[in-house]
Amino acid sequence: MVYIRPDQPEIKIGNRIKISGEASVFETARNPGNFDQRAYYARQGLYVLVWAEAVEVISAETDRVQHFLYEMRSGWRKILTEHLGEYYGGTMSAVLLGDKSGLDAEMKKLYQKNGIGHLLAISGLHMSFIGMGVYSLLRRSGLGFISAGAAGSAILLLYTMMIGAGVSSLRALIMFLVKVGADMTGRDYDMATSLALAAAVLCWRQPLYITDAGFLLSFGAILGLVLLTP
């Protein structure tokens, strides 16, 4: 993780940079139950914190897809803010785009106090609504399973990349791909199998996810549906 001062050169997604500054490791929990900064960032693949004193752009080559998605996300946030104001626009940006930078602190506290703080996170509900909505709409318009599934999967993949690819969104994406794949091949969809596959893929990608609260809650909720649904 690198913190860069505002007076440093603008960095775009995909640039290769050379930095110099003071480096340190993240702190561990001092008491049981406290926030463990080192474990939290380790699950994201971050192990060192650097306060950049000097930044040099070695390669100006950008990731066009990621940069396009970043600009689209910023544009949507600007539209929401212009039409709803800073207070409600920041809330809707958190709900729809996963951007909590403009979320009012008092609003966030109210959501948490009333036990609905999860509504401010991009969850499987968002993913299912978008993915299955596009897929079903295309199927009703006359497209075949393969064409509709490919289009729905592409849109959901780009949306996942745009919002930051959190644990719950990745879980929903994998399960959606399994669902669409079952339709394409004429097979029955099994939620328990797709859930197990999603857990295996995510833990293979980052074994530390097994200790992440978001991972446990997201998979625990779906596992409850699998076990309790008649």
Side-chain angles (χ1 to χ4, degrees):
M1 176 180 287
V2 179
Y3 285 107
I4 300 175
R5 298 198 313 266
D7 59 338
Q8 297 291 349
E10 181 183 1
I11 307 299
K12 295 183 179 180
I13 299 175
N15 289 169
R16 294 180 61 190
I17 63 175
K18 178 181 179 181
I19 64 173
S20 59
E22 183 179 351
S24 61
V25 296
F26 296 106
E27 296 182 356
T28 58
R30 296 179 181 271
N31 297 300
N34 284 159
F35 174 64
D36 193 328
Q37 190 182 46
R38 185 176 300 180
Y40 174 79
Y41 284 111
R43 289 192 288 268
Q44 302 179 42
L46 303 173
Y47 302 95
V48 178
L49 171 67
V50 178
W51 294 93
E53 296 294 337
V55 179
E56 177 185 355
V57 178
I58 299 177
S59 172
E61 183 178 354
T62 61
D63 186 325
R64 294 184 179 181
V65 175
Q66 290 278 15
H67 192 68
F68 169 76
L69 293 174
Y70 170 77
E71 290 184 337
M72 179 181 291
R73 184 187 190 189
S74 300
W76 283 357
R77 182 183 184 280
K78 182 178 180 181
I79 292 174
L80 289 172
T81 303
E82 287 178 351
H83 288 80
L84 301 177
E86 289 288 341
Y87 187 78
Y88 294 107
T91 303
M92 292 306 298
S93 295
V95 173
L96 299 177
L97 306 175
D99 183 1
K100 298 183 181 179
S101 59
L103 182 62
D104 182 78
E106 187 63 29
M107 172 74 78
K108 183 178 180 180
K109 186 180 296 184
L110 288 173
Y111 270 79
Q112 293 174 336
K113 185 178 294 185
N114 289 280
I116 55 175
H118 59 280
L119 296 178
L120 299 176
I122 301 296
S123 65
L125 178 62
H126 299 70
M127 308 293 290
S128 299
F129 181 79
I130 294 173
M132 293 306 300
V134 172
Y135 177 62
S136 300
L137 183 63
L138 293 177
R139 284 289 298 129
R140 291 179 181 177
S141 66
L143 285 181
F145 286 109
I146 296 179
S147 300
S153 299
I155 291 175
L156 195 59
L157 176 61
L158 292 174
Y159 180 72
T160 304
M161 294 171 61
M162 184 183 70
I163 62 176
V167 173
S168 60
S169 58
L170 286 174
R171 189 265 308 156
L173 173 64
I174 295 172
M175 295 184 68
F176 173 78
L177 294 177
V178 174
K179 164 65 176 174
V180 171
D183 289 346
M184 289 180 176
T185 56
R187 297 175 179 271
D188 292 330
Y189 171 70
D190 182 65
M191 185 182 292
T193 300
S194 64
L195 182 66
L197 177 62
V201 171
L202 291 181
C203 288
W204 170 78
R205 178 173 176 263
Q206 175 54 274
L208 293 176
Y209 275 153
I210 198 66
T211 64
D212 182 66
F215 177 92
L216 298 175
L217 290 171
S218 180
F219 280 85
I222 303 301
L223 182 60
L225 293 176
V226 172
L227 296 178
L228 299 178
T229 300

